[in-house]
Amino acid sequence: MKIYTKTGDKGTTALFGGTRVPKHHIRIESYGTVDELNSHLGLIRDQDINEHYKDLIITIQDKLFTVGAILATDPEKAILKNGSERLNIEKITSEDIERLEQEMDTMNEALPPMTHFVLPGGHQTVSFCHIARCVCRRAERLASALNDLEPFEANALIYLNRLSDYLFVLARKLSSDLQANEIKWIPEKM
């Protein structure tokens, strides 16, 4: 199979279902940003971190492929003529969302209470995590805008929201694990 098809040479690409749209279409921006997030998660997974986090990140990366597939599906072609769904894969479930919540709760129990915003950084791995969190928020914003135009499965958007929260808590937990200095943001008084 060739990687290049030349079908996108005029600035369009195909959605799942065959519909061609401009490469700058919000649907493409949405799932492209999810793909970018997935790559950043791979970078975190490649760091010297606890195996539990690595295993969970692999699961999250798998779920992000599902989110991407949902976003890449043309809603007008989502149902085939025989009545079945074109996207014949397991979707994002409430259990997937709850798993992120449970992981956050577990990590938070081991962390000091947060009294201020924290400045991203302190260790390269922590910084990678904060970058992933920011990319996740961008993916969520784009997906939210897409959802306003063409609604899709609610759990996909909820998952992105919860994932950005998870990545923030993971950054704090990695700061603790790696004994990195967590710098509080304390605004200067006027």
Side-chain angles (χ1 to χ4, degrees):
M1 181 174 105
K2 284 189 177 183
I3 296 298
Y4 61 93
T5 62
K6 301 182 183 180
T7 57
D9 288 352
K10 293 184 179 174
T12 65
T13 192
L15 299 175
F16 190 50
T19 305
R20 294 203 69 82
V21 296
K23 289 187 177 186
H24 61 269
H25 190 281
I26 191 158
R27 185 170 292 282
I28 308 307
E29 288 286 346
S30 295
Y31 74 74
T33 305
V34 169
D35 186 37
E36 180 184 351
L37 169 61
N38 212 331
S39 295
H40 282 288
L41 289 174
L43 185 60
I44 297 167
R45 197 183 78 229
D46 289 342
Q47 303 305 302
D48 186 18
I49 60 175
N50 182 298
E51 286 300 317
H52 175 75
Y53 303 144
K54 290 183 179 196
D55 292 343
L56 183 59
I57 289 171
I58 289 172
T59 300
I60 291 167
Q61 288 182 293
D62 176 75
K63 299 301 176 189
L64 287 177
F65 265 93
T66 300
V67 170
I70 290 167
L71 296 174
T73 301
D74 180 352
E76 292 183 12
K77 296 186 177 180
I79 305 298
L80 300 172
K81 290 179 182 177
N82 66 10
S84 63
E85 291 185 35
R86 178 177 301 278
L87 190 58
N88 187 22
I89 60 173
E90 186 176 321
K91 306 302 185 300
I92 302 297
T93 66
S94 55
E95 290 79 18
D96 297 326
I97 296 162
E98 288 167 10
R99 174 142 191 226
L100 292 177
E101 293 170 349
Q102 291 164 357
E103 292 288 334
M104 281 187 279
D105 291 343
T106 299
M107 288 188 290
N108 265 328
E109 288 174 10
L111 293 171
M114 200 174 112
T115 58
H116 294 81
F117 288 108
V118 295
L119 300 180
H123 189 283
Q124 184 173 0
T125 302
V126 174
S127 295
F128 290 152
C129 202
H130 279 293
I131 291 168
R133 171 185 57 80
C134 292
V135 173
C136 188
R137 284 286 187 214
R138 179 163 32 97
E140 180 188 6
R141 289 190 303 271
L142 288 164
S144 175
L146 173 63
N147 191 57
D148 282 352
L149 299 172
E150 297 176 343
F152 54 86
E153 296 178 39
N155 277 347
L157 189 55
I158 294 169
Y159 191 80
L160 289 174
N161 180 267
R162 211 63 84 248
L163 180 56
S164 61
D165 295 334
Y166 168 80
L167 290 169
F168 177 76
V169 177
L170 179 61
R172 290 199 69 221
K173 184 65 169 83
L174 290 173
S175 286
S176 175
D177 293 353
L178 298 165
Q179 299 176 343
N181 187 19
E182 192 174 72
I183 300 173
K184 295 176 182 175
W185 178 64
I186 301 172
E188 293 181 22
K189 303 285 184 191
M190 291 183 70

